């Protein structure tokens, strides 16, 4: 296989979730020229995969992108196109580009509209005609076989359907760490805007558990850029504590570095931190509402030290 084109232009955590696909493609076809269509946002992580030969950053509209990259698409015929995001524009673009084989996932949703059950499929039937095959993902999280719709497992099944050997199912991030400004072997707790949905009793219990934790442990507390109410509250309360560090301005690279030197990562399923932690074999602790347990079953990294807690009874071990 000489030329491979991959579409993955969604979030950073989503890009890391296909890292085993990139790893296996490169190990099976070391001489292949691999092109990835990514977003300006997830390029910040995609660029670490230096074995990728070409990055095409999607901006504006499908038409604008198609015109801008006309030579890459219409003067080439790819051996394989993998459409690995759920964007309609990606399905359309992949349909228009020439390739020997095209594969993707078809997402099926069931909606009730005034008592009438409606089936919605993405991509549409017409666009589907331009692909060689699909695997199906039922987007009903209450489906009895919910875990069979695990997204990374479906991506790996696509490779198996193409008779591509699976060398590893583990997340992979080729990253050279820089000097760490914190002590090694600490807890990284990432508090982002998701924590604003937690009610006051949980936040009070968490703060108490944090105060106990930092007696004998080091904690690096990170957040979304600029912080948030709960992060800012903890900062003002613990800013003079020598065992806790705060960073609400970390770039993607800085956050990677912080996670690299930690031993455990705690968040309310921040996709970026969870998937980076999996790539570095860190303990992952998810604190979430039980309402989204089934949804998260589809995103758990394979071969990772992952634990999930209902926010109502979370505790530090």
């Amino acid at each position: 296989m000489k030329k491979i084109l991959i579409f993955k232009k969604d979030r950073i955590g989503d890009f890391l979730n296909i890292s085993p696909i990139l790893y296996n493609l490169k190990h099976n076809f070391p001489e292949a020229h691999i092109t990835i269509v990514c977003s300006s946002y997830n390029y910040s992580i995609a660029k670490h995969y230096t074995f990728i030969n070409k990055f095409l950053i999607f901006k504006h509209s499908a038409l604008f992108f198609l015109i801008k990259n006309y030579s890459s698409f219409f003067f080439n015929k790819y051996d394989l196109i993998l459409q690995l995001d759920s964007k309609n524009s990606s399905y359309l673009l992949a349909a228009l580009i020439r390739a020997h084989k095209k594969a993707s996932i078809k997402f099926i949703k069931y909606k009730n509209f005034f008592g009438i059950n409606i089936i919605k499929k993405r991509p549409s039937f017409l666009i589907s005609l331009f692909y060689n095959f699909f695997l199906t993902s039922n987007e009903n999280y209450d489906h009895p076989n919910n875990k069979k719709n695990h997204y990374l497992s479906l991506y790996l099944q696509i490779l198996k359907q193409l008779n591509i050997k699976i060398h590893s199912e583990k997340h992979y991030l080729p990253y050279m760490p820089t000097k760490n400004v914190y002590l090694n072997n600490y807890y990284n707790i990432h508090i982002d805007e998701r924590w604003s949905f937690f009610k006051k009793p949980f936040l009070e219990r968490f703060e108490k558990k944090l105060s106990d934790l930092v007696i004998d442990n080091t904690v690096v507390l990170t957040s979304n850029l600029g912080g948030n109410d709960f992060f800012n509250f903890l900062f003002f309360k613990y800013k003079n504590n020598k065992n806790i560090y705060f960073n609400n301005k970390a770039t993607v690279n800085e956050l990677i570095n912080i996670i690299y030197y930690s031993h455990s990562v705690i968040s309310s399923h921040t996709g970026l931190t969870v998937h980076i932690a999996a790539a570095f074999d860190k303990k992952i602790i998810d604190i979430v509402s039980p309402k989204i347990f089934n949804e998260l079953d589809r995103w758990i990294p394979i071969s990772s030290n992952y634990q999930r807690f209902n926010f109502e009874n979370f505790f530090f071990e």
Side-chain angles (χ1 to χ4, degrees):
M1 202 169 289
K2 296 180 180 179
K3 291 183 179 181
I4 301 171
L5 175 62
I6 301 170
F7 283 83
K8 195 62 179 171
K9 55 185 183 65
D10 35 24
R11 295 168 297 184
I12 296 179
D14 298 297
F15 192 95
L16 284 162
N17 198 41
I18 69 160
S19 60
I21 305 304
L22 304 179
Y23 179 91
N24 285 293
L25 287 173
K26 194 59 182 178
H27 276 70
N28 279 282
F29 311 107
E31 303 302 320
H33 186 283
I34 301 176
T35 299
I36 287 191
V37 177
C38 59
S39 66
S40 54
Y41 183 52
N42 69 22
Y43 176 69
S44 60
I45 201 83
K47 65 184 179 182
H48 288 286
Y49 297 84
T50 54
F51 58 82
I52 302 300
N53 303 92
K54 191 171 186 179
F55 295 96
L56 299 175
I57 300 177
F58 183 91
K59 292 182 179 180
H60 307 300
S61 66
L63 180 60
F64 175 87
F65 181 75
L66 200 61
I67 294 171
K68 182 180 179 181
N69 297 285
Y70 183 87
S71 60
S72 294
F73 294 147
F74 296 109
F75 293 157
N76 277 310
K77 185 172 184 180
Y78 293 91
D79 294 291
L80 174 63
I81 293 179
L82 294 176
Q83 203 303 76
L84 299 183
D85 65 46
S86 59
K87 307 293 185 182
N88 283 321
S89 56
S90 297
Y91 284 116
L92 175 61
L93 288 167
L96 295 174
I97 301 167
R98 296 185 303 152
H100 292 290
K101 290 184 179 180
K102 300 178 186 180
S104 187
I105 294 175
K106 178 170 289 189
F107 295 93
I108 301 178
K109 288 188 176 182
Y110 299 86
K111 292 192 174 182
N112 190 285
F113 185 73
F114 293 106
I116 303 173
N117 289 322
I118 299 174
I119 300 176
K120 296 188 68 175
K121 296 181 180 180
R122 189 169 66 249
S124 66
F125 171 76
L126 181 61
I127 292 178
S128 298
L129 297 175
F130 293 88
Y131 287 76
N132 295 92
F133 74 87
F134 290 93
L135 294 180
T136 300
S137 176
N138 186 318
E139 292 302 279
N140 175 13
Y141 299 139
D142 294 323
H143 192 278
N145 292 322
N146 182 54
K147 291 185 179 181
K148 289 187 177 180
N149 293 284
H150 183 258
Y151 297 126
L152 176 53
S153 297
L154 290 173
Y155 298 146
L156 291 166
Q157 285 179 42
I158 288 177
L159 296 192
K160 293 174 184 177
Q161 291 269 11
L162 294 165
N163 295 317
I164 296 173
K165 184 178 178 180
I166 305 300
H167 293 274
S168 174
E169 296 182 341
K170 182 182 176 298
H171 277 36
Y172 169 67
L173 178 57
Y175 174 74
M176 291 296 294
T178 57
K179 184 178 179 180
N180 193 29
V181 298
Y182 311 106
L183 297 174
N184 293 344
N185 208 33
Y186 46 76
Y187 287 91
N188 170 223
I189 303 178
H190 190 76
I191 296 177
D192 60 13
E193 62 278 4
R194 292 173 179 82
W195 292 63
S196 64
F197 296 103
F198 292 140
K199 295 181 179 179
K200 187 177 179 180
F202 164 76
L203 298 178
E204 290 176 343
R205 292 198 311 273
F206 186 89
E207 187 273 324
K208 176 61 172 63
K209 294 178 188 298
L210 178 63
S211 67
D212 295 335
L213 182 70
V214 296
I215 293 173
D216 297 313
N217 297 277
T218 302
V219 172
V220 177
L221 243 169
T222 54
S223 78
N224 51 299
L225 289 176
N228 51 74
D229 288 345
F230 188 52
F231 178 90
N232 295 337
F233 164 76
L234 294 174
F235 172 77
F236 285 111
K237 183 160 186 175
Y238 292 97
K239 61 182 178 182
N240 295 321
N241 189 303
K242 294 181 179 180
N243 283 344
I244 185 166
Y245 300 86
F246 294 86
N247 192 327
N248 66 348
K249 298 179 181 179
T251 65
V252 171
N253 275 5
E254 288 170 341
L255 193 55
I256 294 172
N257 214 57
I258 289 169
I259 294 172
Y260 182 89
Y261 287 104
S262 71
H263 61 71
S264 302
V265 175
I266 301 171
S267 75
S268 181
H269 199 84
T270 302
L272 173 60
T273 60
V274 167
H275 293 289
I276 292 174
F280 296 148
D281 295 318
K282 307 302 179 180
K283 184 175 182 178
I284 303 166
I285 299 173
D286 247 353
I287 311 171
V288 294
S289 166
K291 293 179 181 179
I292 63 170
F293 276 19
N294 286 352
E295 179 182 355
L296 297 188
D297 281 341
R298 302 185 178 211
W299 290 102
I300 299 170
I302 299 173
S303 302
S304 62
N305 185 2
Y306 176 91
Q307 288 183 287
R308 181 192 298 153
F309 291 91
N310 179 342
F311 76 95
E312 295 178 348
N313 56 22
F314 169 73
F315 59 92
F316 285 112
E317 289 188 350

